[in-house]
Amino acid sequence: MKFCFEFVRSMPRAVCVLLLAGLVSSSFVQAEEEAERSAPAPMSGERLAELIGHLDPEAVVESNSVQFSIGDRAHFAVWDSAANRMRLMSPVAEIGMLSEALMFRMLQANYDSALDARYATAQGLVWSVFIHPLSSLDEEFLGSAIRQVHIAAETFGSTFSSGELIYGGGDSQEQLDELEKALDRLLNPTT
């Protein structure tokens, strides 16, 4: 052992650095290879449709999409395996029915209370949407995404939230505080 330390001390510093870098790099490569062996298979469109089918046995699969329901609310999932993208969405409202203030509030919510879901417009409708790379989506995150899209659609026009959490720094908390005060005034009128 003493020989090893003396041998290393006699080496030029650059050689020691290269040897150390090689050892560290080798450790990272081994850790990465172990992670790849234990990692689940990438999500596919077929697997996505299968998982959604567990949620709604009456889901309709067509080509690269699936239509499903949660309660009375329609939801859609579409994917493009070649582009490695997927989208979950639920229609919320017709754009023509929204005031400028409501559209503005929707944009505020995209900043801090819609979280991974977002409000978007397409085809004359407002949608609650979640967009993500397909292959890196796992079952747990898919469940979270479906919940967030559903809740964001359900809370459009009131809390504009995809769940319980509001990410700080935006305007949603102030809006929710105002809503709470208005509800309190309705429920507890002073005479």
Side-chain angles (χ1 to χ4, degrees):
M1 189 71 142
K2 185 176 179 183
F3 171 76
C4 287
F5 289 123
E6 287 176 15
F7 177 72
V8 169
R9 264 191 246 151
S10 67
M11 287 186 197
R13 178 167 250 151
V15 172
C16 288
V17 168
L18 287 174
L19 283 174
L20 181 59
L23 290 172
V24 169
S25 175
S26 174
S27 295
F28 283 130
V29 168
Q30 287 175 344
E32 189 175 293
E33 288 171 354
E34 287 176 27
E36 286 176 9
R37 283 192 296 271
S38 65
M43 182 68 70
S44 65
E46 294 75 20
R47 179 74 178 135
L48 180 69
E50 177 187 340
L51 292 168
I52 290 172
H54 294 300
L55 177 66
D56 178 5
E58 296 180 19
V60 177
V61 180
E62 288 186 19
S63 183
N64 68 328
S65 68
V66 59
Q67 179 178 347
F68 62 103
S69 295
I70 299 174
D72 292 335
R73 180 166 294 284
H75 293 74
F76 303 88
V78 295
W79 61 88
D80 182 339
S81 298
N84 189 32
R85 301 303 292 175
M86 61 79 59
R87 178 176 302 172
L88 291 169
M89 55 198 157
S90 182
V92 174
E94 292 181 27
I95 293 173
M97 309 270 305
L98 304 182
S99 67
E100 186 176 316
L102 199 55
M103 292 288 278
F104 184 75
R105 179 67 191 104
M106 176 179 78
L107 290 173
Q108 287 176 320
N110 277 346
Y111 184 81
D112 61 8
S113 63
L115 301 180
D116 298 320
R118 292 286 182 267
Y119 296 109
T121 61
Q123 303 171 350
L125 296 173
V126 173
W127 298 82
S128 172
V129 297
F130 169 85
I131 302 168
H132 196 274
L134 176 63
S135 66
S136 63
L137 189 67
D138 63 27
E139 291 179 22
E140 184 178 343
F141 198 38
L142 174 61
S144 173
I146 291 171
R147 278 190 307 277
Q148 288 187 57
V149 166
H150 182 77
I151 293 169
E154 290 288 315
T155 63
F156 185 86
S158 60
T159 62
F160 291 87
S161 172
S162 65
E164 304 264 336
L165 179 66
I166 293 178
Y167 190 75
D171 301 319
S172 290
Q173 188 61 56
E174 180 181 328
Q175 296 290 328
L176 291 174
D177 291 345
E178 289 299 317
L179 178 61
E180 189 175 307
K181 287 176 188 174
L183 287 171
D184 190 46
R185 285 191 299 273
L186 282 172
L187 297 172
N188 301 306
T190 57
T191 52

